[in-house]
Structures are given as C-alpha cells and as structure tokens.
Coordinates of all heavy atoms in Angstrom, one line a residue:
P1 N 6.3 -14.8 -6.1 CA 5.6 -13.8 -7.0 C 4.3 -14.4 -7.4 O 4.0 -15.6 -7.5 CB 6.6 -13.7 -8.1 CG 7.4 -14.9 -8.1 CD 7.5 -15.4 -6.7
T2 N 3.3 -13.5 -7.6 CA 2.0 -13.8 -8.0 C 1.9 -13.3 -9.5 O 1.9 -12.1 -9.7 CB 0.9 -13.1 -7.2 OG1 1.1 -13.5 -5.8 CG2 -0.5 -13.5 -7.6
P3 N 1.8 -14.3 -10.4 CA 1.8 -13.9 -11.8 C 0.7 -12.9 -12.2 O -0.4 -13.1 -11.7 CB 1.6 -15.2 -12.5 CG 2.1 -16.3 -11.6 CD 1.8 -15.7 -10.2
G4 N 1.0 -11.8 -12.8 CA 0.1 -10.8 -13.3 C -0.4 -9.9 -12.2 O -1.2 -9.0 -12.5
I5 N 0.1 -10.0 -11.0 CA -0.4 -9.2 -9.9 C 0.6 -8.1 -9.6 O 0.2 -6.9 -9.4 CB -0.7 -10.0 -8.6 CG1 -1.8 -11.0 -8.9 CG2 -1.0 -9.1 -7.5 CD1 -3.1 -10.4 -9.2
G6 N 1.9 -8.4 -9.4 CA 2.8 -7.4 -9.1 C 3.8 -7.8 -8.0 O 3.9 -9.0 -7.7
T7 N 4.4 -6.8 -7.3 CA 5.4 -7.1 -6.3 C 4.8 -6.8 -4.9 O 4.2 -5.8 -4.7 CB 6.6 -6.2 -6.6 OG1 7.1 -6.5 -7.9 CG2 7.7 -6.5 -5.6
L8 N 5.1 -7.7 -4.0 CA 4.7 -7.5 -2.6 C 5.9 -6.9 -1.8 O 7.0 -7.4 -2.0 CB 4.3 -8.9 -2.0 CG 4.0 -8.9 -0.5 CD1 2.7 -8.3 -0.2 CD2 4.0 -10.3 0.0
S9 N 5.7 -5.9 -1.0 CA 6.8 -5.4 -0.2 C 6.3 -5.2 1.2 O 5.1 -4.8 1.4 CB 7.4 -4.1 -0.7 OG 6.4 -3.1 -0.8
V10 N 7.1 -5.4 2.2 CA 6.8 -5.3 3.6 C 7.8 -4.3 4.2 O 9.0 -4.4 3.9 CB 6.8 -6.6 4.4 CG1 6.5 -6.5 5.8 CG2 5.9 -7.6 3.7
G11 N 7.3 -3.4 5.1 CA 8.3 -2.4 5.6 C 7.8 -2.0 7.0 O 6.8 -2.5 7.6
D12 N 8.6 -1.1 7.6 CA 8.3 -0.6 9.0 C 7.3 0.5 9.0 O 6.7 0.8 10.0 CB 9.6 -0.1 9.6 CG 10.5 -1.2 10.0 OD1 10.1 -2.4 10.2 OD2 11.8 -1.0 10.0
G13 N 7.1 1.2 8.0 CA 6.2 2.3 7.9 C 6.2 3.0 6.6 O 7.3 3.1 5.9
D14 N 5.1 3.5 6.1 CA 5.0 4.1 4.8 C 3.9 5.2 4.9 O 2.7 4.9 4.7 CB 4.7 3.1 3.8 CG 4.7 3.5 2.4 OD1 4.4 4.7 2.1 OD2 5.0 2.7 1.5
E15 N 4.3 6.4 5.1 CA 3.4 7.6 5.3 C 2.5 7.7 4.0 O 1.3 8.0 4.1 CB 4.1 8.8 5.6 CG 3.2 10.0 6.0 CD 4.0 11.2 6.4 OE1 5.0 11.1 7.1 OE2 3.5 12.3 6.2
E16 N 3.2 7.6 2.9 CA 2.4 7.7 1.6 C 1.4 6.6 1.5 O 0.2 6.9 1.1 CB 3.4 7.7 0.4 CG 2.8 7.9 -0.9 CD 3.8 7.8 -2.0 OE1 4.9 8.3 -1.9 OE2 3.4 7.3 -3.1
L17 N 1.7 5.4 1.8 CA 0.8 4.3 1.8 C -0.4 4.5 2.8 O -1.5 4.3 2.4 CB 1.5 3.0 2.1 CG 0.5 1.7 2.1 CD1 -0.1 1.5 0.8 CD2 1.3 0.5 2.5
D18 N 0.0 5.0 4.0 CA -1.1 5.3 5.0 C -2.1 6.3 4.4 O -3.3 6.1 4.6 CB -0.5 5.8 6.3 CG 0.2 4.7 7.1 OD1 0.0 3.5 6.8 OD2 1.0 5.1 8.0
K19 N -1.6 7.4 3.8 CA -2.5 8.4 3.3 C -3.4 7.8 2.2 O -4.6 8.1 2.1 CB -1.7 9.6 2.8 CG -1.1 10.4 3.9 CD -0.3 11.6 3.3 CE 0.3 12.4 4.4 NZ 1.2 13.5 3.8
R20 N -2.8 7.0 1.3 CA -3.5 6.4 0.2 C -4.6 5.5 0.7 O -5.8 5.5 0.3 CB -2.6 5.7 -0.7 CG -3.2 4.9 -1.9 CD -3.8 5.9 -2.9 NE -4.5 5.1 -4.0 CZ -4.0 4.6 -5.1 NH1 -2.7 4.8 -5.3 NH2 -4.7 4.0 -5.9
L21 N -4.2 4.6 1.7 CA -5.2 3.7 2.2 C -6.4 4.4 2.9 O -7.5 4.1 2.8 CB -4.5 2.7 3.2 CG -3.5 1.8 2.7 CD1 -2.9 1.0 3.8 CD2 -4.1 0.9 1.6
D22 N -6.0 5.5 3.7 CA -7.1 6.3 4.3 C -8.0 6.9 3.3 O -9.2 6.8 3.4 CB -6.4 7.4 5.2 CG -7.4 8.2 5.9 OD1 -8.2 7.6 6.7 OD2 -7.4 9.4 5.8
A23 N -7.5 7.5 2.2 CA -8.3 8.1 1.2 C -9.2 7.0 0.5 O -10.4 7.2 0.3 CB -7.4 8.8 0.2
E24 N -8.6 5.9 0.2 CA -9.3 4.8 -0.5 C -10.4 4.2 0.4 O -11.6 4.0 -0.1 CB -8.4 3.7 -1.0 CG -7.4 4.1 -2.0 CD -7.9 4.4 -3.4 OE1 -9.1 4.2 -3.6 OE2 -7.2 5.0 -4.2
L25 N -10.1 4.0 1.6 CA -11.1 3.4 2.5 C -12.2 4.4 2.8 O -13.4 4.1 2.9 CB -10.5 2.9 3.8 CG -9.7 1.6 3.6 CD1 -8.9 1.3 4.9 CD2 -10.6 0.4 3.3
T26 N -11.9 5.7 3.0 CA -12.9 6.7 3.2 C -13.8 6.8 2.0 O -15.0 6.9 2.2 CB -12.2 8.1 3.5 OG1 -11.4 7.9 4.7 CG2 -13.2 9.2 3.7

C-alpha cells in the first residue's frame, strides 16, 4: 500500500476506466 494514495487494482478489462481515461487524456 502507498500511504495517503489509495488502493491499486489490476484486472482484465474495465470499460468504465477506459472511458474515463479517454475523457481525461482528451
């Protein structure tokens, strides 16, 4: 864990995350 940062998670795919990353990077 990284104190004060939050939780890291790894997965096979995350459509919601993909949409958010696209919006943020755009």
Side-chain angles (χ1 to χ4, degrees):
T2 305
I5 298 295
T7 304
L8 175 75
S9 62
V10 178
D12 288 334
D14 186 331
E15 189 174 326
E16 184 179 323
L17 177 61
D18 287 344
K19 286 180 183 177
R20 174 73 185 269
L21 294 176
D22 183 55
E24 296 291 349
L25 287 170
T26 297

